[in-house]
Amino acid sequence: MRKRVRPAPSFMLWTGGLLAALLVSMAFGVVIGSADLSLRTVFDAILGRLGSGSGVNVLDEHIVVDLRLPRVVGAAVVGAGLAVCGAVLQSLTGNQLADPYILGMSGGAALGASVVLSTGLGLGIMSGGPVVSVAAFIGAMAALLLVFAIAVTRGGALLPGRLILAGVAVGQLAAALSSGLIYFGPHGTAERVMFWSLGSVAGVRWNTLALSAAVTGVTVVVVLFYARTLDTFAFGERAAAGLGTDISRTRWILYALVSLCTAVLVAMSGIIGFVGLVIPHAVRFLVGPLHARVLPLAIVMGALIVVWSDIVARSLLPARELPLGLVTSAIGVPAFIWLLRQKGTE
């Protein structure tokens, strides 16, 4: 019989500490901004919206509840979702460079957004606008279906090597088509597409956040259920099958689920790089390879990193907001190099 994995003290300490840091950071993220608000004002505004009138004016309540709070929660959802999807794809494919966009969905999403922005349908709509988001989601899902159609074998199996190569090919095709739309599009198309592709949660509102949070929540629950199954993939397909893992069924379920989650998150926030690549490696460095520890800690750490990246993006420059993907890349590249050098010394 399999023995239940007991959480290591270091795992409990890291998870508790990062979870506490996440909650504090989210509160700080709601407070900070162009409008000077205190923590007391934030709590009073939330209580006022819940019906416990506390004397906060309507403008402050609108800023806190309708603008900043969904933005901060959206950043946490995006970070958690991308981190857990990256961890799963790295395990399923056996590729340490795998991230949530490896199956060509970032290129497909960018193509969908480019179609809208180059035709004028998305003029005046920021990255969280409904037209651009729907187009990006459709593009991401279309790219994913094409990748599956190319990669699936006659026996219905999804082989990691074929899947990655198909993802690269479809992503390159989508990038070429996007470049064509930008080149032949009206003046300003390149700037609008670039702004969207670099990512932002500035346009996140409760109505758009609800679907993303629900899909991410379902993904997290299912992935945690498969945590011990994912451990078997570390020994190779034959060993995993010998341990009772249904390889084909597991791959189809997890590939489909994490791909859907990634597509929804890309549609809401654009393309935010390095979170799904670096966070799983950082977590494995801290608590080891067991997915019962890697996945929960990756969720918390991913959320924390993106929340702080968003805070930096909107507060570093006084009169201009930086793209979220630019900040995560600036953090992720040095972190990835450091982790690579640390592993090289082991």
Side-chain angles (χ1 to χ4, degrees):
M1 295 180 65
R2 297 179 180 179
K3 294 181 179 180
R4 188 177 300 275
V5 177
R6 294 183 180 180
S10 59
F11 165 71
M12 299 300 294
L13 289 174
W14 276 113
T15 303
L18 290 178
L19 186 58
L22 175 61
L23 295 176
V24 173
S25 301
M26 292 178 69
F28 184 72
V30 178
V31 170
I32 193 172
S34 56
D36 187 17
L37 300 176
S38 65
L39 189 60
R40 176 61 183 273
T41 302
V42 170
F43 283 118
D44 288 344
I46 296 174
L47 290 175
R49 181 60 63 91
L50 294 175
S52 303
S54 52
V56 177
N57 64 64
V58 177
L59 179 59
D60 287 345
E61 182 177 314
H62 172 69
I63 292 173
V64 171
V65 180
D66 298 325
L67 299 180
R68 291 188 185 174
L69 193 57
R71 177 172 185 161
V72 171
V73 176
V77 169
V78 169
L82 291 179
V84 76
C85 289
V88 171
L89 288 173
Q90 287 173 8
S91 297
L92 289 178
T93 62
N95 188 338
Q96 293 186 344
L97 296 179
D99 71 354
Y101 309 127
I102 198 172
L103 302 184
M105 286 182 293
S106 60
L111 177 58
S114 299
V115 170
V116 171
L117 294 172
S118 64
T119 56
L121 294 174
L123 289 177
I125 301 176
M126 303 297 285
S127 62
V131 178
V132 180
S133 296
V134 171
F137 177 77
I138 293 173
M141 294 306 297
L144 176 66
L145 292 176
L146 181 58
V147 169
F148 280 172
I150 295 172
V152 68
T153 65
R154 293 183 178 180
L158 286 174
L159 302 181
R162 290 170 61 103
L163 201 62
I164 293 174
L165 291 175
V168 171
V170 171
Q172 291 297 318
L173 174 62
L177 294 175
S178 298
S179 299
L181 289 172
I182 293 172
Y183 183 81
F184 292 105
H187 178 72
T189 299
E191 290 78 4
R192 290 191 293 271
V193 173
M194 180 179 293
F195 177 85
W196 179 88
S197 63
L198 289 176
S200 174
V201 289
V204 174
R205 300 294 180 266
W206 290 118
N207 57 345
T208 57
L209 178 59
L211 175 62
S212 300
V215 173
T216 303
V218 171
T219 301
V220 167
V221 171
V222 175
V223 165
L224 289 176
F225 176 78
Y226 276 91
R228 295 172 66 185
T229 302
L230 285 170
D231 288 335
T232 65
F233 280 84
F235 304 103
E237 287 189 17
R238 292 183 178 180
L243 292 172
T245 300
D246 189 334
I247 302 294
S248 180
R249 181 173 179 270
T250 300
R251 280 182 173 157
W252 271 109
I253 291 175
L254 294 182
Y255 276 137
L257 191 60
V258 299
S259 298
L260 175 62
C261 182
T262 301
V264 170
L265 294 177
V266 170
M268 181 178 73
S269 63
I271 301 170
I272 300 174
F274 279 94
V275 176
L277 172 63
V278 177
I279 297 299
H281 287 290
V283 169
R284 293 188 190 100
F285 179 78
L286 295 176
V287 297
L290 292 180
H291 287 81
R293 299 169 185 170
V294 168
L295 296 175
L297 191 58
I299 292 167
V300 180
M301 184 180 290
L304 178 63
I305 293 298
V306 176
V307 166
W308 268 106
S309 296
D310 180 55
I311 293 173
V312 172
R314 55 190 162 99
S315 60
L316 187 62
L317 299 180
R320 189 174 184 180
E321 181 172 318
L322 292 173
L324 182 55
L326 181 63
V327 179
T328 58
S329 297
I331 297 173
V333 172
F336 189 73
I337 294 174
W338 182 83
L339 286 169
L340 186 62
R341 290 183 63 84
Q342 292 297 313
K343 287 186 177 182
T345 60
E346 294 178 357

